[in-house]
Amino acid sequence: MEAKYLKVEELEKELKQGKLDSLYFLYGDEKFLLEKVLKKIHSLFGKTINGINYITIDETNVNSIISNIETPCFGFEKKLIVAKNTGLFKKDTKGKAKKNDNTIKAKLNEYLNNNFNDIKDFNILVFVEDEIEKSDLAKFIEKNGIICNFEFQKANQLQARIKAITNAYKVNIDNPTLIYFIECCGTSMQELINEIRKLIEYVGVNGTITKQDIDSLSIKKIESVIFDLTDSLGKKNVKNAIDVLRNLILAKEPVQKILITLYNHFKKLYLVKLALKNNKDIVYSLDLKPNQMFLVNKYKMQAGYFKIEEIRTILQKLSDLDYEYKIGLIDLETGFEAILCAYV
């Protein structure tokens, strides 16, 4: 059997159709969707009794994984074994390799290779990890299992998922507002679900979510608020930029975090200016992930507000503010406002 590398949507479709395989390896950054798939596997499997036909394995009891696979599930046709964050797929640190882990890796790999035809008839084995590292055990799973990388969703995928939720609750949201919602609230499915539920409850059945609703009710990511601040600054609206800053501070956002985020934001604008000047790829220059592609045009637009010398000056002032704050010469909030007021 050859491994099936499935996209998240493909695996969701298979499970929706009731297809359940004998070996899975689930990994990646998008934990909300991963856990949702794990729950679906559990649901399709049916009734479970802990310790009988449902076994959970982690780093604390990983040595028992083979014996748990071998033990019959008395009274049941199959057993569901979920091995989560076991350490079996971590890279071994040179000179600090855990001999016990190496032993169980080797033993499990040998056991699976020798007995998988029998194992798959009586077990569903699900490995859940942050990532998959090269090893003999990983090679076995690649040859025999279904592998799914739960990457952060791209903007169009996020839009489709949020739209499906609003449609299910008979709530309207147009595409520009949907894009604005994601730009404000980030690309984590769990956070987006939390925020869209509030908005759905607020507008009610047959209601329509607006940008004003998002501004009033949603918890915006600090990166989104920094975009707002920079927009105001670029348009020479210093008063509004200071208002945005003060609202961030009132929302209990740590001032040092604001400083770091603002510095990194202007650093990215500087890289965009250099990329445009030298005909370089902005995505590569900013090292953007697939779920961040929608930011390219926003960075390009904001970079257009500033000359490259102005960005360098702002970066230097932010760096100086950090130093002066650390030696007790100035309060961060006062320093921020002084930097913003100087840009007119």
Side-chain angles (χ1 to χ4, degrees):
M1 174 182 173
E2 290 296 323
K4 290 171 68 176
Y5 289 89
L6 298 184
K7 295 179 180 178
V8 177
E9 293 79 8
E10 292 171 337
L11 179 54
E12 289 175 325
K13 184 177 180 181
E14 281 204 356
L15 294 174
K16 190 174 183 180
Q17 293 171 346
K19 296 178 182 178
L20 205 53
D21 213 276
S22 55
L23 178 61
Y24 293 91
F25 191 98
L26 315 177
Y27 72 105
D29 296 316
E30 183 44 80
K31 303 302 181 188
F32 177 84
L33 293 179
L34 192 156
E35 290 296 330
K36 186 178 177 184
V37 161
L38 197 55
K39 288 178 182 177
K40 183 63 176 177
I41 291 173
H42 199 153
S43 173
L44 281 177
F45 181 83
K47 181 182 178 181
T48 58
I49 299 177
N50 285 334
I52 304 297
N53 71 333
Y54 178 57
I55 307 295
T56 56
I57 303 290
D58 59 26
E59 200 163 13
T60 64
N61 66 343
V62 67
N63 288 330
S64 68
I65 188 169
I66 293 175
S67 62
N68 274 296
I69 295 172
E70 288 177 324
T71 304
C73 48
F74 298 103
F76 294 91
E77 182 181 348
K78 284 192 175 186
K79 184 191 306 175
L80 175 61
I81 299 177
V82 178
K84 192 172 184 180
N85 300 324
T86 60
L88 290 171
F89 299 90
K90 288 182 180 177
K91 275 186 177 179
D92 295 321
T93 306
K94 289 183 178 180
K96 295 184 178 179
K98 296 181 181 178
K99 293 182 180 179
N100 195 44
D101 283 354
N102 288 337
T103 300
I104 191 61
K105 282 182 190 179
K107 284 183 177 180
L108 180 59
N109 178 58
E110 182 181 4
Y111 176 72
L112 290 174
N113 273 284
N114 292 335
N115 301 280
F116 190 62
N117 285 334
D118 293 327
I119 292 168
K120 67 182 182 181
D121 289 335
F122 301 102
N123 296 273
I124 292 176
L125 187 56
V126 184
F127 289 99
V128 180
E129 301 286 342
D130 290 331
E131 56 188 341
I132 184 168
E133 297 286 355
K134 290 183 178 179
S135 66
D136 290 338
L137 182 56
K139 288 177 184 177
F140 173 84
I141 294 173
E142 287 177 349
K143 289 180 181 179
N144 296 279
I146 289 179
I147 299 173
C148 185
N149 181 5
F150 287 77
E151 298 177 303
F152 284 125
Q153 298 276 280
K154 296 177 182 177
N156 63 325
Q157 294 171 312
L158 292 171
Q159 290 169 32
R161 288 181 182 275
I162 298 302
K163 188 70 173 177
I165 293 170
T166 56
N167 287 344
Y169 286 91
K170 298 180 181 178
V171 167
N172 304 303
I173 182 169
D174 60 34
N175 286 333
T177 306
L178 184 55
I179 292 169
Y180 180 71
F181 170 71
I182 292 169
E183 288 178 351
C184 289
C185 299
T187 54
S188 163
M189 275 302 301
Q190 182 64 73
E191 292 177 0
L192 289 175
I193 294 289
N194 292 341
E195 295 303 320
I196 202 65
R197 281 174 178 165
K198 286 193 297 186
L199 293 165
I200 288 170
E201 288 292 330
Y202 178 71
V203 301
V205 176
N206 296 323
T208 299
I209 296 171
T210 66
K211 287 185 178 181
Q212 290 75 20
D213 297 329
I214 295 167
D215 289 337
S216 300
L217 298 174
S218 296
I219 299 173
K220 291 188 176 183
K221 302 287 286 185
I222 185 173
E223 292 81 6
S224 172
V225 180
I226 293 298
F227 265 110
D228 294 341
L229 188 154
T230 309
D231 261 338
S232 297
L233 194 62
K235 294 172 182 176
K236 310 293 185 181
N237 190 341
V238 175
K239 180 185 180 301
N240 195 59
I242 290 175
D243 286 341
V244 173
L245 172 66
R246 288 175 175 171
N247 286 336
L248 261 179
I249 295 169
L250 285 172
K252 305 297 183 184
E253 199 69 62
V255 186
Q256 286 174 299
K257 183 180 178 182
I258 298 172
L259 175 60
I260 293 169
T261 307
L262 189 59
Y263 181 88
N264 286 335
H265 186 78
F266 273 96
K267 183 179 177 182
K268 288 176 181 177
L269 295 184
Y270 183 71
L271 292 173
V272 170
K273 297 291 279 191
L274 291 179
L276 292 172
K277 182 179 179 181
N278 298 292
N279 294 317
K280 299 291 185 181
D281 182 18
I282 292 175
V283 174
Y284 176 79
S285 297
L286 297 182
D287 192 25
L288 295 177
K289 297 177 181 178
N291 63 317
Q292 298 175 312
M293 298 300 291
F294 68 93
L295 294 174
V296 172
N297 288 333
K298 293 188 72 173
Y299 279 122
K300 283 176 67 176
M301 182 189 71
Q302 287 202 340
Y305 291 142
F306 304 91
K307 296 177 182 177
I308 197 164
E309 295 80 9
E310 291 174 327
I311 297 177
R312 275 202 298 259
T313 299
I314 291 172
L315 285 171
Q316 185 59 56
K317 286 184 176 182
L318 290 171
S319 180
D320 291 343
L321 173 59
D322 179 54
Y323 173 74
E324 291 170 0
Y325 165 72
K326 286 176 179 175
I327 63 174
L329 289 181
I330 194 170
D331 171 73
L332 275 183
E333 185 174 348
T334 303
F336 269 135
E337 294 189 4
I339 292 172
L340 297 180
C341 288
Y343 184 78
V344 289

